[in-house]
């Protein structure tokens, strides 16, 4: 009986095509994961860069906002310190004071360019304002519920943003207390519009909003977002805001029309909103303002940032495809190169063996020619160029193939010296060129001039035949340039000396005439005050003083002109008592302004000196002015200038002492140098001029520091014979 046949088991070996797909599937999955991770990394990096850019924008937004807020906050304090405000609050029913103070506030408000300036009593009632004319026809106003009033009423700066209930105009309200001692007797409120800040925000293109501590948006580059809230407010909070009328009447304070799509992270988050009818995604950044309870919110379009993800994936895909293709190409190319390399190496070996000696000779000659800094030019008997080395090419800017075979005129001949070039060429070709060489100017291909020295000798071949001429060309441009620079330097030094003399004369005139001009300005200010106070006697005295200072300025100019002409000034016997007295009379208004006193002590008897009176008064005035300027930071009670005038056997001396800061040891040696000064607006000529004047009178000027603080300057003059 035959055995039954059973089918053989089928093999489960995968087909070759399936094996290839299985081999590529895992790398493909890994590659796709890497591309996705790279895209997400690029997106996060773009977000980080965008947030960093928004932080950099704060360097522009915050200073502009702070400037708009703080530039006016001290003005209410300055007005509140006015004595007229105290008097008016003490007697608010005084019609005479009312008629003076209302126009005063109106004038201050107009000069500041602000919206409104009002004075409130302690109950918040308006007692004076810059809009007093329109206030006459309106019901009384009360600021007692305003936060800025409450803050100022407590004795500190009040600041809030609010909408005026009558005009509907929004602005920043800055309040400063009016204090009599430690008692608050009123409040001065200044209203400033911030429209310029909003306009600047609108021009930026990206929305910017400013919200208060409740989240109410009171400044916005998008007008539709004004008086919305960043977070929903409770009904009681809305009721309180409407009751205070801080932002007007009957506001709904609806949430700002955007949807937060991603939670906050490091202060930034993603929102979606509709602007100009188009819904867009933005990146928002909140910044708390440290000085004020406000939050600045920047919003930047995130569409470009999201596109970075797909741009990164696309570029990475293209780059990886290129790398894969390049790898396959290089693999095939390398195989072909190995075959060609073997054949080429065999051929090159045979060529190297045959040309080794020739290469060594050519290399040696080439190295020798290239190392020469001197140009070498060879010409035949007719003037054809038959050889040039690299140095010649460097000097002229022409390649060797552009010069070889050329006849005169050569392309590097200077057009301004064509006749000289022809003469030198004839001398070279006839053998008449001097052994010491000659100077020639070339025109480089790029247009600049090259100065050279050319030495020419006959070119003789191995058989002794004269074949042409060999010339050595040396570049002397640097030497020529150095000689020209030396000449220009000498001229500049001479000119600088003349300018320095002229500058010193001009600076001396400016310094000397400055004090009479300052005195004239002080007397003019005093005359105006006396005129307003109806004091004719003092007015006439001030006008006479102005005239005297004008004559004094004219005298100083005449003295400097005489000095410039090397003429001797007018010396005469001078009484130092009269000199000091006249200077103090000229400076009495300046002394009152600086709140300083002068103590004068004269020796008895006091001999005369032979001097130029105007110059001597200038020295005394300079020393007093220096003492006053040194005591700017000294308490008023100690602002005393002590002047002592005395004499010994041969000299008369004037000592001027102050209670200032003294002179530091490190600058003592430079004190009398011209143009040295420690003052930001000084010329550094005052003490230099004083010392020069005294030395011109046969005297000297010395100084020393006081042990208790301050400086003593002593001027010594010889006694008149």
């Amino acid at each position: 009986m035959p055995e039954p046949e059973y089918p053989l088991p089928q093999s489960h070996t995968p087909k070759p095509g399936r094996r290839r797909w299985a081999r590529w599937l895992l790398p493909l999955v890994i590659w796709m994961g890497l591309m996705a991770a790279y895209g997400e990394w690029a997106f996060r990096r773009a977000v980080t860069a965008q947030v960093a850019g928004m932080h950099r924008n704060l360097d522009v937004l915050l200073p502009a906002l702070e400037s708009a807020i703080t530039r006016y906050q001290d003005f209410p304090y300055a007005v509140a310190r006015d004595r007229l405000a105290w008097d008016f609050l003490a007697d608010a029913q005084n019609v005479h004071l009312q008629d003076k103070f209302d126009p005063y506030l109106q004038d201050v408000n107009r000069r500041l360019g602000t919206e409104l300036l009002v004075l409130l009593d302690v109950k918040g009632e308006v007692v004076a304002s810059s809009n007093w004319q329109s206030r006459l026809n309106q019901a009384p106003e009360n600021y007692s519920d305003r936060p800025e009033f409450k803050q100022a009423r407590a004795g500190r700066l009040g600041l809030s943003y609010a909408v005026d209930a009558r005009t509907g105009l929004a602005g920043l309200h800055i309040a400063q207390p009016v204090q009599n001692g430690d008692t608050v007797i009123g409040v001065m409120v200044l209203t400033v519009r911030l429209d310029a800040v909003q306009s600047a925000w609108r021009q930026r293109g990206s929305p910017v909003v400013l919200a208060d501590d409740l989240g109410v948006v009171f400044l916005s580059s998008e007008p539709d977002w004004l008086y919305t809230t960043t977070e929903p407010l409770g009904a009681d909070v809305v009721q309180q805001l409407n009751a205070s009328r801080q932002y007007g009447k009957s506001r709904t304070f609806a949430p700002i029309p955007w949807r937060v799509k991603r939670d906050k992270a490091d202060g930034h988050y993603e929102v979606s909103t509709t602007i100009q009818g188009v819904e867009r995604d933005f990146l928002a950044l909140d910044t708390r303002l440290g000085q004020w309870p406000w939050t600045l919110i920047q919003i930047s379009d995130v569409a470009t940032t999201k596109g970075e993800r797909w741009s990164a994936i696309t570029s990475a895909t293209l780059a990886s495809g290129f790398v894969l293709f390049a790898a396959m190409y290089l693999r095939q190319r390398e195989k072909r190169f190995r075959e060609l390399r073997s054949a080429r190496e065999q051929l090159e070996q045979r060529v190297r063996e045959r040309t080794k000696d020739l290469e060594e000779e050519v290399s040696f000659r080439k190295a020798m020619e290239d190392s020469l800094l001197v140009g070498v030019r060879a010409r035949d008997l007719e003037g054809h160029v038959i050889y040039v080395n690299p140095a010649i090419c460097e000097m002229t800017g022409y390649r060797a193939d552009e010069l070889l075979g050329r006849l005169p005129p050569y392309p590097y001949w200077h057009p301004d010296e064509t006749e000289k070039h022809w003469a030198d060429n004839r001398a070279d070709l006839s053998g008449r060129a001097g052994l010491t060489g000659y100077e020639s100017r070339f025109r480089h291909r790029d247009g600049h001039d090259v100065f050279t020295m050319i030495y020419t000798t006959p070119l003789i071949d191995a058989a002794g035949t004269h074949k042409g001429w060999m010339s050595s060309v040396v570049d002397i441009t640097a030497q020529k340039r150095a000689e020209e620079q030396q000449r220009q330097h000498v001229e500049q030094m001479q000119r600088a000396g003349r300018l320095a003399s002229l500058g010193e004369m001009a600076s001396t005139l400016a310094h000397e005439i400055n004090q009479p001009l300052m005195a004239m300005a002080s007397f003019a200010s005093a005359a105006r005050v006396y005129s307003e106070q109806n004091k004719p006697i003092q007015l006439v005295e001030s006008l006479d003083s102005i005239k005297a200072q004008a004559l004094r300025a004219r005298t100083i100019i005449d003295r400097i002109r005489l000095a410039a002409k090397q003429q001797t000034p007018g010396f005469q016997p001078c009484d130092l008592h009269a000199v000091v007295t006249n200077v103090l009379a000229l400076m009495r208004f300046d002394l009152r302004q600086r709140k300083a006193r002068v103590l004068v002590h004269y020796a008895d008897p006091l001999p005369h000196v032979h001097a130029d009176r105007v110059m001597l008064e200038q020295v005394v005035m300079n020393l007093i002015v220096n003492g006053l300027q040194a005591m700017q930071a000294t308490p008023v009670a100690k602002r005393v200038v002590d002047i002592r005038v005395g004499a010994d056997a041969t000299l008369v001396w004037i000592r001027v002492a102050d209670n200032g800061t003294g002179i530091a040891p490190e600058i003592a040696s430079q004190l009398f140098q011209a143009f040295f000064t420690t003052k930001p607006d000084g010329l550094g000529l005052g003490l230099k001029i004083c010392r020069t004047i005294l030395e011109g009178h046969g005297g000297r000027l010395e100084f020393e520091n006081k042990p208790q603080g301050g400086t003593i300057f002593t001027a010594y003059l010889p006694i008149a014979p």
Side-chain angles (χ1 to χ4, degrees), residues 307-339:
E308 288 291 330
R309 175 188 287 113
W310 295 110
S311 297
I313 292 176
T314 302
S315 60
T317 301
L318 293 176
S320 58
F322 174 77
V323 170
L324 180 61
F325 174 78
M328 296 175 63
Y329 170 76
L330 291 175
R331 183 179 179 183
Q332 293 297 116
R333 186 169 177 266
E334 182 62 24
K335 181 180 178 181
R336 178 61 178 164
F337 277 175
R338 283 197 298 269
E339 297 173 354

Side-chain angles (χ1 to χ4, degrees), residues 14-22:
K15 297 181 178 179
R18 186 176 298 174
R19 285 198 302 269
R20 284 196 299 269
W21 275 109

Side-chain angles (χ1 to χ4, degrees), residues 508 511-512 515 615-626 671-672 684-702 713-717:
T508 302
H511 184 275
E512 290 298 313
Q515 292 180 349
M615 293 296 183
L616 200 55
E617 289 180 355
Q618 194 67 32
V619 170
V620 176
M621 183 175 291
N622 279 344
L623 295 180
I624 295 175
V625 169
N626 284 349
L671 198 60
F672 294 106
L685 290 173
L687 292 176
K688 171 66 175 178
I689 293 172
C690 291
R691 190 176 191 178
T692 302
I693 291 174
L694 291 173
E695 290 176 350
H697 286 71
R700 67 184 188 274
L701 179 61
E702 298 177 353
F713 280 89
T714 305
Y716 294 94
L717 290 167

Side-chain angles (χ1 to χ4, degrees), residues 523-524 526-527 530 535-548 585-586 588 592:
F523 286 125
Y530 294 144
K535 296 181 178 180
I537 297 177
Q538 291 84 348
L539 175 60
V540 171
E541 291 179 355
S542 298
L543 294 177
D544 289 341
S545 298
I546 292 175
K547 180 180 178 181
L586 295 175
R588 64 181 184 274
R592 284 200 299 270

